Amino acid sequence: MKPNKFFLIVSMTFLISCSPKNVLVPDDQLNAINALVDGLHLDAHEGNFETYFDRYSTNAIFLGTDKTERWTIEEFKAYAEHAFADGNGWTYSVVERNWEGEGDIRWFDEILFNERLGHCRGTGVVKKINNEWKILHYALTMLVPNEIAEEVGAQTKEADKE
């Protein structure tokens, strides 16, 4: 007896969809969390201090590109206040973004472009709190091509001595 093609297709689709490696973020959640992070970058570009920081949880942590930049959200606000004071923050354009996780906690990595720093990477964790997505953790790093990594490393060691 030959198996029914429809039955095989449905069975394979079910097995693939149940595989943990293929857990997909539902479209409505993906849209909401992309809007959160896209809005973060837009608010920074436009210097919208209040809406920028409303996107973070009250206990969020921000890691900047300098080794001293590990800030609570309140410390990060104090740092960023002068940058936003004139209605301009900073501009990072999203090149690509990847999401992982499921349920009410997701994490992402994104490649960004900044005129001054070139390509950077943002990584973060978001959580649904009171039915609203918030950023719990965000880290910004500079991407250093392998060809110049040793030179950059030597420069950072020299800067540490100063």
Side-chain angles (χ1 to χ4, degrees):
M1 180 162 132
K2 259 177 121 172
N4 179 316
K5 283 185 184 181
F6 177 76
F7 175 76
L8 284 173
I9 292 170
V10 169
S11 297
M12 291 303 293
T13 302
F14 175 77
L15 289 172
I16 290 169
S17 69
C18 290
S19 168
K21 292 181 180 176
N22 292 304
V23 174
L24 298 177
V25 177
D27 284 348
D28 61 330
Q29 297 302 305
L30 184 59
N31 290 339
I33 55 183
N34 270 321
L36 172 70
V37 181
D38 288 342
L40 181 80
H41 295 308
L42 182 60
D43 285 337
H45 172 73
E46 294 177 349
N48 299 324
F49 185 87
E50 293 299 322
T51 53
Y52 178 86
F53 284 101
D54 283 346
R55 297 176 183 282
Y56 290 91
S57 69
T58 58
N59 60 345
I61 297 294
F62 183 92
L63 303 176
T65 57
D66 189 86
K67 72 178 183 179
T68 65
E69 296 175 343
R70 185 191 192 279
W71 293 311
T72 65
I73 201 63
E74 293 305 316
E75 292 167 331
F76 185 40
K77 282 181 183 180
Y79 166 82
E81 193 169 20
H82 75 278
F84 282 79
D86 65 357
N88 296 303
W90 44 79
T91 301
Y92 289 87
S93 303
V94 177
V95 176
E96 72 176 57
R97 182 179 299 137
N98 302 291
W99 284 100
E100 303 293 335
E102 56 186 87
D104 289 348
I105 296 180
R106 311 290 169 92
W107 54 96
F108 65 95
D109 61 85
E110 57 188 0
I111 295 178
L112 307 165
F113 184 79
N114 174 273
E115 285 297 323
R116 190 170 58 89
L117 301 177
H119 284 99
C120 296
R121 184 178 321 278
T123 58
V125 177
V126 299
K127 181 178 182 181
K128 197 176 229 184
I129 301 170
N130 297 325
N131 212 29
E132 185 178 8
W133 288 99
K134 295 286 186 177
I135 299 166
L136 294 177
H137 190 275
Y138 191 89
L140 179 65
T141 56
M142 295 174 59
L143 296 178
V144 178
N146 289 335
E147 296 79 32
I148 62 170
E150 192 171 325
E151 177 185 331
V152 172
Q155 289 179 24
T156 60
K157 287 191 281 187
E158 273 305 306
D160 284 345
K161 292 177 186 176
E162 296 172 3

